Amino acid sequence: MISAAAREIGSCPACGARSRRRHSRYSRCLQDLPAQGAIVALRILMTRWRCSNGSCARKTFSDQLPGVAVRHARRTLRVSRLLQLFAHGAGGKPSERLINRLGMPASDDTLLRHLKKGATRGAGDARVLGIDDWSWRKGESYGTVMVDLERREVVDVLPGRSADETADWLSRHPNVEVVSRDRCGLYAQEISHGAPQARQVADRFHLLQNLRERIEHQLSRSDKGLARPSLPRAEGEDAGLISCSTPGRQVIAEDRYLKRLAHQRSRQAMFEKVQILKAEGRNIRGIALEMGVNWRTVRKWVHANEIPDRRERAPTPTSPRYFRDYLADRWANGCRGGRQLFEEIRQRGYRGSRSNMERLLGKWRSAERTALAPITAPTPTDSPVTTTVPPLRAVDPATGWAISPIGGAALCIKPRGMLTARQAVKVAALKNASPDFVAMRALAMRFRGVLHSKDVKRLDEWLDDAQRSGIYAMQRFACKLRGDIHAVRNAVAEPWSNGQTEGQINRLKTLKRTMYGRASAELLRARMIPLSAFPQHEK
């Protein structure tokens, strides 16, 4: 409560002399209003005072009330905090409608301006940091989010994910001791340059995800798909010798060849099955239901004498096939340099990448070379381990359809206690069909145990066993882990993970969609950081 004497006498901020109120149109209003609340405080704030010291340079002045409002402000601190609260929780337009109903009219631009003005807190005290990317537009542009894993709060949102930008941010925050990340090599490089003192921790979820992808790739090397009959193995298909050492280009090329060959043989088997069912008098709908494929595909195959080639998408200026004639002419004239050809077609309107063009040229180069030679046993320092990859012919007893590589890989890394009765039957069918699946599942279960054991020695033993398993997928996965061994060991030994970061990215995408994708990085950052990070409103 403000006393009447305080409303009549003040002190000059320049000389300290006692001053009297200068008569204004608000004097009579002050006498009539009760001496309480924000209304009286604002009336005093708007009242001018006259200094009684004749030699003082400050002739008139007004009182300042730091606890109520700041200088030149048009709103009290309390109202400003309410505007920030509404804008942080609901955004611009929804907050505008709510604020107007509460008798404090403000536009959506004003609300967002107050919100962005208050989001000034840095991350200087963040010790354990989670870092990950998020997509502005998937496949085109990405941003980066920084999360304090100890407080479980977002500390910053960057508009891009370039190495220089992230490394510069980390260099400005030397208190960071631990950084949790996914398996992306870009972030590993950024952290090494921007925060060399920090320990990098690989996310355990992404480690299991990478293992599942390698298993799926291994299963894709054999016959795959739905209700596809078992086929005799092609001649020489299982003659691969894989060494315990790092696989070379020849082994990787052979792996891709086996995967492509298995897919072609599977399509051919499905086409033959469709022709048999057609000869038996089955209609298109019945064949589609039995085969588990789309009825349009069945209709196309029923009226064909041989399996049709896959139709390619019509070329556009972003595809090198759009300039195939020009490239073929230059290739025939002896121009084989990828950089030179890339510059030439760019001047003719090509908007794609050089790597995409190099893939087309790679097919032409491989056509000129001799056919792919069979893999011979290398001469490593360790004795090589031979392996054969029998085709996967596991059939789900419940449906009669073959189990796809995606489903088989997901079941391979799932513990027995988490399997449903139907999934357990599928796992048994996969084990009976492929000895390699039995070995991969045993290694996958051991790897899950290593991630929960906090024992780094068990990790080293697992890597040695995976390298000696003779299974290409396990050898490749172990090789990749050894390339990032320090972060993987920290993932086993330390409790930090990127789960909280992934959750914050989910929240960020939700906020972005509620703002119809029009939010800038500054506004997203203001809505992502917690309200406790907002300082007191200042002019």
Side-chain angles (χ1 to χ4, degrees):
M1 182 177 292
I2 304 174
S3 63
R7 297 200 303 270
E8 296 297 335
I9 301 175
S11 57
C12 178
C15 62
R18 292 169 64 89
S19 306
R20 290 285 180 182
R21 181 189 303 280
R22 179 183 179 184
H23 293 289
S24 67
R25 66 177 182 270
Y26 299 111
S27 299
R28 182 171 299 177
C29 296
L30 287 171
Q31 295 176 3
D32 298 335
L33 290 173
Q36 61 184 0
I39 297 178
V40 174
L42 286 177
R43 293 305 186 190
I44 294 176
L45 181 65
M46 298 171 66
T47 301
R48 303 297 300 175
W49 299 74
R50 186 189 300 276
C51 181
S52 59
N53 186 1
S55 60
C56 180
R58 179 74 63 86
K59 299 301 181 182
T60 62
F61 61 91
S62 62
D63 278 339
Q64 302 298 321
L65 300 175
V68 179
V70 297
R71 296 182 62 186
H72 310 297
R74 303 184 66 179
R75 291 177 178 84
T76 63
L77 293 176
R78 183 179 178 185
V79 173
S80 297
R81 295 192 191 104
L82 285 175
L83 296 183
Q84 287 181 355
L85 176 63
F86 275 90
H88 186 273
K93 284 293 185 181
S95 298
E96 178 184 2
R97 293 191 292 267
L98 293 172
I99 281 290
N100 290 338
R101 291 294 299 272
L102 293 176
M104 297 179 289
S107 66
D108 57 336
D109 292 334
T110 299
L111 290 162
L112 297 181
R113 186 171 61 250
H114 274 270
L115 178 66
K116 290 185 285 188
K117 186 189 301 182
T120 57
R121 176 189 173 185
D125 55 347
R127 191 182 68 88
V128 182
L129 193 70
I131 180 172
D132 204 351
D133 58 354
W134 54 277
S135 59
W136 284 98
R137 298 190 67 180
K138 189 173 182 180
E140 296 184 12
S141 57
Y142 291 83
T144 304
V145 62
M146 311 287 188
V147 179
D148 189 340
L149 297 181
E150 289 184 313
R151 296 191 182 91
R152 305 174 71 85
E153 297 175 352
V154 174
V155 294
D156 208 347
V157 175
L158 305 182
R161 65 169 179 180
S162 64
D164 295 336
E165 185 178 11
T166 308
D168 179 67
W169 190 95
L170 292 170
S171 63
R172 288 185 280 106
H173 299 86
N175 294 332
V176 177
E177 300 177 5
V178 179
V179 180
S180 176
R181 58 170 175 82
D182 57 13
R183 300 293 310 290
C184 180
L186 176 65
Y187 284 133
Q189 179 183 0
E190 294 168 353
I191 297 168
S192 300
H193 286 83
Q197 79 285 353
R199 302 190 305 276
Q200 299 187 34
V201 179
D203 184 48
R204 291 183 288 274
F205 169 78
H206 286 91
L207 289 173
L208 287 173
Q209 188 179 45
N210 297 148
L211 176 60
R212 183 196 60 78
E213 291 172 354
R214 295 313 310 172
I215 295 174
E216 178 186 342
H217 183 85
Q218 182 74 18
L219 298 179
S220 299
R221 294 173 59 169
S222 54
D223 296 337
K224 60 180 181 175
L226 300 177
R228 302 184 182 182
S230 303
L231 296 177
R233 199 178 311 164
E235 183 179 355
E237 184 177 344
D238 58 346
L241 293 176
I242 300 179
S243 169
C244 292
S245 59
T246 303
R249 289 187 177 181
Q250 190 178 7
V251 179
I252 297 175
E254 177 70 8
D255 176 73
R256 293 176 180 173
Y257 170 73
L258 291 177
K259 184 177 179 180
R260 184 169 60 253
L261 180 63
H263 182 70
Q264 293 173 356
R265 294 172 61 239
S266 298
R267 287 189 76 235
Q268 181 64 35
M270 288 193 65
F271 177 78
E272 295 174 359
K273 181 75 175 292
V274 168
Q275 297 299 322
I276 294 174
L277 294 176
K278 170 191 173 184
E280 294 177 356
R282 304 285 295 274
N283 59 16
I284 293 177
R285 181 177 179 84
I287 296 175
L289 290 175
E290 181 171 345
M291 298 291 295
V293 296
N294 190 274
W295 66 271
R296 293 183 178 88
T297 302
V298 175
R299 182 181 62 181
K300 180 173 60 177
W301 287 359
V302 160
H303 299 291
N305 296 326
E306 60 181 13
I307 185 170
D309 295 332
R310 289 187 176 273
R311 291 183 300 177
E312 291 186 343
R313 180 179 166 187
T316 63
T318 59
S319 171
R321 294 190 294 111
Y322 193 82
F323 306 89
R324 182 192 292 270
D325 295 338
Y326 177 80
L327 290 173
D329 183 62
R330 295 287 291 142
W331 188 270
N333 293 334
C335 182
R336 306 299 172 86
R339 187 181 298 275
Q340 180 180 351
L341 291 174
F342 176 68
E343 293 297 333
E344 291 179 5
I345 62 175
R346 251 183 49 175
Q347 295 176 3
R348 286 163 173 79
Y350 177 59
R351 299 198 302 269
S353 63
R354 181 185 169 189
S355 60
N356 196 12
M357 184 205 69
E358 289 287 356
R359 281 192 287 271
L360 176 62
L361 300 183
K363 296 179 181 179
W364 296 352
R365 293 190 181 99
S366 61
E368 292 182 348
R369 294 193 296 265
T370 59
L372 182 65
I375 294 180
T376 57
T379 57
T381 55
D382 301 331
S383 59
V385 178
T386 61
T387 180
T388 60
V389 184
L392 180 64
R393 295 167 181 155
V395 178
D396 184 5
T399 61
W401 296 351
I403 302 174
S404 67
I406 297 177
L411 293 175
C412 188
I413 65 171
K414 195 170 185 180
R416 180 180 298 274
M418 299 176 61
L419 294 173
T420 63
R422 184 173 178 179
Q423 290 173 345
V425 173
K426 289 184 179 182
V427 170
L430 288 165
K431 287 182 177 180
N432 295 331
S434 172
D436 280 353
F437 183 86
V438 178
M440 289 189 294
R441 179 167 172 80
L443 288 171
M445 293 301 102
R446 283 183 56 192
F447 187 71
R448 293 183 68 104
V450 168
L451 294 180
H452 291 87
S453 66
K454 310 297 182 184
D455 189 355
V456 180
K457 294 182 179 179
R458 291 181 58 184
L459 174 65
D460 297 333
E461 296 174 359
W462 187 90
L463 291 174
D464 295 337
D465 293 343
Q467 198 72 54
R468 290 192 296 265
S469 65
I471 302 174
Y472 174 76
M474 294 293 103
Q475 291 177 331
R476 191 72 174 166
F477 180 66
C479 178
K480 292 294 185 181
L481 291 190
R482 290 188 188 277
D484 195 20
I485 189 62
H486 296 294
V488 176
R489 286 174 177 170
N490 290 334
V492 175
E494 300 199 14
W496 308 109
S497 71
N498 242 25
Q500 175 63 210
T501 309
E502 297 289 348
Q504 295 291 353
I505 290 177
N506 186 31
R507 174 170 164 252
L508 183 146
K509 291 181 178 180
T510 303
L511 292 177
K512 184 167 71 73
R513 291 186 181 103
T514 59
M515 293 184 283
Y516 302 99
R518 300 175 183 175
S520 62
E522 182 185 10
L523 180 56
L524 281 175
R525 177 182 180 273
R527 294 198 64 184
M528 285 296 295
I529 65 175
L531 278 173
S532 59
F534 284 73
Q536 297 295 329
H537 177 73
E538 297 179 0
K539 184 66 178 177

